[in-house]
Amino acid sequence: MTLGLTHFLVLSTLLFCLGLFAMLTRRNAVAILMGVELMLNAANINLVAFNKYVAPGALNGQVFALVVITLAACEAGVGLALVMSAYRNLETVHVDEINVMKW
Amino acid sequence: MVNWPLEIVRAVLLTAAVFTFMAVVAAMFGVLLERKVGGWIQSRLGPKHVGPQGLLQTVADTIKLLQKEHIEPRAADRAIFNTAPLVVAVAGLMSWVVIPFGTLGDRVLVVRDLNIGVVFFAAMASLTVVGILAGGFASNNKYALLGGLRSASQMISYELPLAMALIAVAMEAGTLSTVGIVEAQAGWFGSFAFRQFPAFVIFLIAATAEVNRVPFDLPEAESELVAGYFSEYTGMRFALFQLGEYGEMFAMAAMATTLFLGGWKGPVLPGVVWFLLKMYLIVFLLMWVRWTYPRYRLDQLLNLSWKVLLPAGLVWILITGYRVTF
Amino acid sequence: MRELAWLIPVLPLVACALIFAFGPRLPGRGAYVAIAGIGLAALLSIGIFVEGLGGAKAHELNVRWVPYGQTALDLGLRVDNLTTVMLLVVTIVGSMIFVYSVGYMHDDPRFSRFFAYLSLFAASMLLLVLANNLLFLYAGWELVGLCSYLLIGFYFEKPSAARASMKAFVTTRVGDLFMFLGILLVFFTLGTFRFEEIFAKVHAGALEGMMVGGLPLLTVVAVLLFGGAIGKSAQVPLHTWLPDAMEGPTPVSALIHAATMVAAGVYMVARTYLLFFESPGHGALTVVAWIGAVTALMAATIAVVQDDIKRVLAYSTISQLGYMMLGLGMLGYAAGMFHLMTHAFFKALLFLGAGSVIHAMHTNDIKAMGGLARAMPSTYWTFLIGTLALAGVPPFAGFWSKDEILLEAFHHHRGLYAMALAAAFLTAFYMFRVIFYTFAGTTRSHHAHPHESPAVMTRPLWVLAVFSAGIGLVGAPFLGNPFHHYLHFEGLKAPAFSWGVALAGVGASGAGIAAAAAVYHWKVVPSGALRRAAGPLFTLVAHKYYFDELYAAAVVRPTLAVARALRTFDVYVIDLIVNLFGFAGLGLARLYRVFDLYVVDGAVNLLGWIAQTAGGVLRYVQTGRAQNYLLAIALGVIVLLAAGLFR
Amino acid sequence: MGQLAAFIILSVVTLVSAVVVVASQNIVRSALSLIPTLLGIAGVYILLQAEYVAGIQVLIYAGAITVLILFVIMLTEHGTGARFRQVNEQVLPGTIAVAVLAALLMAVFFGTAWPRAAGTLPQYTATSIGTTFLTSAILVFIVTSFVLLVALMGAIVIARRER
């Protein structure tokens, strides 16, 4: 059994679902962000793997993986800034406690 | 196709060799050299009694450290506490993977000539931060935590100018491979220390800050924070931190040599000798600075990075890009 | 300089706007602004007049205003010799009166407003004078009427003043109606308002042979236009408003009811003189002449029995306006205009002098005055000069102009000449009656302490006195009658100067003065005996020929009666119908209200309740927690995937 | 065969530390075990002949983002955060949903015959990636730069202490 596309897809699926699980269940906003990072990485694995196994002629998959990494950095920066701001104003980072706008 | 088992065996062997060299020769000699240089600069003798001219002082210190009890604070997070020094040491030593030492016949003496060598180097340098932060946190000691946070913010800040300098050099050389960069420098004035002088300066400053040395050693400012992030570490783990730090410092010096001073190249003498000469020149420079200058304040330090080095690096990249393209 | 003529009405208008906007905060509480406006206009007028002396051509300025079918209505100004003379009169007399008013109105709480009105009046009068078409002449005409209304009623808290202003407005409106009809007739027959085009077409015989109700159209038009002049210039039978208009402040009387506004009628006749001239057999001119003569004589007789100094002057004004009309009607175009000019100066002078006297005595009754000559020398001397000018004593201004009119009358109609001569005699008589009562003898009022008026009032008097004395010389025959050369109607030649007529006129004046002196100074014949001897004639005159009573009986009362009847109809019939509709609407509305409350509102409330309840239930779905929504999304993805897989 | 072994080792490292990331009550451990996860993924990239992406992965993710996350955790959660309940009431439905989703996705992946275009990956990818970025993906490059700039400013504005 040689290494094939499916291996990577399985890995990325599991990673993605773990990230989704974190997003669904964690209360801490930072933990949710980590879940997002996992999901983004899963997507990146897919991008690079498809690039190699489906369209090796061009490097678009890797290029997009790099773009995703960049955007992940942006997302982490802005997201963590929001977390800091929320913590400063509401003294909690638990998303179910940030509910001042709720009815 | 890469032959994986062979590759793994090679990697293990080479790593062992490099570790041995680093741990035994470079780090120990480095510590000794540091103390001797410090002594000379301060008009005193330095270590003198162990071995001839105190040459065995570091060996004695190492033996002492190995014998010491390993203390683990009760409130510490044990797993992280024990892993953190390893991360620092391993990351510091991993930097050496891409350093070419010299030539042996037609072969270049380098662990792996990665085609992303420069990026790899930067990545490893940035990994050290995690170890320091984890160590500072896991100690469950406010001085350690503050030292860790300071150290991390400083290192993150200085990674950017460092990367700028690396990018400028890679642009001029047209490759990310360290061997390729050395090959791109020919002759005395072909070295990037001349052609990339601003990048050289930025690299040296950023490297000094990156390895937490004076005048950027606030994370371990004894007068404020006891000993910074390794306040709680004892024995061999403390030694590992020191090893990682010295390994990192030497790696920076080696990288400076590779990127800016033409690596192993030089007349008459063999390449390895030239390489070591240049590397120790840089190391001596770093020590000289350490024993001469006072410490920066935190805000001055961050301002220097974000308001001076980073814009300067960006501008220099622009200029380099113009020069390379046109 | 004639291109700048448009500035002349604009300057006082700007002054008016400024005073209305900023009022007492302006320098001199607004007076200086007003004086600056009229003064600059006067300077411009003088410049234009000097240009006219140099023989400058008539100048027209036309600005397209409203396109009207084939033709267009133009905003037009015309500067010709007639205009320049009027401009001079209006602006110079006007500026004197403005200056005088600073002193006269000094303590009035509505000082600034007074000057705003004055400026507005000056602007409208100048617009009237400068208009090059009937439409704008009419606009200025009505604006002047409006200002007259505002100024007569300036002391509107006095019921008599309010009534007088109303009377003036309504009476002149009667004349204006005729004038408006005349203007419309001109426009519908000739298709233009512009004087030049009208004259050209009439001259070419455009209206020749056209008849209206058995009369030649041109005559009808001219008489209709003259109707406006009758109203504005207070000719019989619409003269009754002018004496009442004396309720206004004295400078207003001087400005409006002596010098300028009332002259507008005369000016209008002169402006459209060609229409009168061309009417078959000079029919229209004959009407003008007769009305003028009757007015001159009748007003003069009434003036003799008036005791109120301003009313004497008012009737004198009416009489003199009659003179002007007579002059125009007797083909004395230049004579009429000449008299208009001289009269403006000396009548303004007289009114201002009277104002000075009133200012000092706080009464209008000449019988309560006396001996003021010593107390108020400036007023006395200037008033005397004005009186001599009015009486027609050579060489003062009135003599020259009156003599020309008498000359024209003598040449054209002896009957009218006789009436004019009689009027001249009466004029001298009543004016010297005033002099003797007011200035001669000793004061009859014991609680009055007369004093000379301030310089700001006497200086204009002196300026006007100089004009009154000297202006007549521009029409002196032995100087070659330069006025006649400057202003004359094409095709009319003034009759040669006649020593006989002149001596007759001077004789009539002298006789009047002598008679007045005999009755009121030397008291050869006591005035009471004279009054008794006249008997019913005196009663008739004292009641002003019963004109007011006649109007009251013939017009006012029937109108009021009809109005009352209509009111009754309104209140009991129309209002009843309206109220019925109202009640019907109200009843329907009540019905609708019930429907609204219980059916429409019920439906709306039901919907609202449904929405509220549904929202109340559904809001539990809206947790506000993104993780719940994310789970829902994940489940949705699962469902979609499953649907895709197990299709 | 060696490749497969390497893949399995890397996958195990990645997934095990990812599970720690997701499940650990100690939020600091979560963040720290993100590092092996990311390093493992970097290894997977090397297996996929994407060395440059791998280097960037280590540099940006492991070196920068993780440190940032650690920073924020240390500043906000009073240390490990072990005093707080770290999961909400959705654990059970979340677990079931995620499991079902994973199963369905794998079913999709296994059941799909992926096409394969001609061509080989270039040996030295950094240059090619740079070329791609500056030619066909220039718009993406520019937009990404702007997003980065805006995010930088936004983060500063949001995190700045008022007054």
Side-chain angles (χ1 to χ4, degrees), chain A residues 44-81:
Chain A
N44 268 356
I45 292 175
N46 267 11
L47 283 171
V48 177
F50 276 120
N51 190 12
K52 183 180 176 191
Y53 287 103
V54 175
L59 278 171
N60 288 335
Q62 292 191 21
V63 164
F64 269 90
L66 288 170
V67 171
V68 169
I69 289 174
T70 314
L71 294 180
C74 297
E75 168 251 308
V78 177
L80 291 171

Side-chain angles (χ1 to χ4, degrees), chain B residues 140-213:
Chain B
N140 210 345
N141 169 322
K142 61 184 159 197
Y143 296 114
L145 180 60
L146 279 177
L149 286 176
R150 272 195 189 189
S151 178
S153 65
Q154 172 181 335
M155 289 171 86
I156 290 225
S157 303
Y158 278 90
E159 250 169 47
L160 287 159
L162 191 77
M164 297 289 160
L166 295 180
I167 289 169
V169 170
M171 282 166 77
E172 176 100 29
T175 174
L176 288 171
S177 151
T178 41
V179 178
I181 288 172
V182 173
E183 304 281 1
Q185 305 175 69
W188 286 101
F189 293 100
S191 70
F192 288 146
F194 293 102
R195 279 151 71 189
Q196 289 280 339
F197 183 71
F200 186 39
V201 173
I202 292 170
F203 183 88
L204 277 184
I205 296 173
T208 315
E210 185 77 14
V211 296
N212 290 335
R213 287 187 65 86

Side-chain angles (χ1 to χ4, degrees), chain B residues 1 4-5 77-80 115-116 119 122-124 126-127 129-130 133-134 137 145 149 152-153 156 159 175-177, chain D residues 2-3 6 26 28-29 32 35 39 47 51-52 55-56 58-59 62-64 67 70-71 74-75 79-80 123-124 126:
Chain B
M1 245 321 95
W4 280 89
D77 188 325
R78 288 185 59 190
I80 303 175
N115 58 17
I116 53 155
V119 176
M124 286 308 132
S126 73
L127 265 187
V129 188
V130 178
L133 205 49
F137 167 76
L145 180 60
L149 286 176
S153 65
I156 290 225
E159 250 169 47
T175 174
L176 288 171
S177 151
Chain D
Q3 270 194 335
N26 186 331
V28 179
R29 287 195 183 177
L32 283 174
I35 293 164
L39 290 178
L47 276 183
E51 291 93 346
Y52 187 73
I56 296 298
V58 176
L59 186 63
V67 172
L70 275 172
F71 249 84
M74 289 177 186
L75 288 175
T80 59
Q123 201 60 49
Y124 185 61

Side-chain angles (χ1 to χ4, degrees), chain C residues 310-331:
Chain C
K310 281 178 75 179
R311 284 186 179 255
V312 173
L313 291 173
Y315 279 106
S316 158
T317 303
I318 298 172
S319 167
Q320 295 305 309
L321 289 167
Y323 252 107
M324 295 171 209
M325 290 297 184
L326 174 64
L328 289 172
M330 290 286 95
L331 295 180

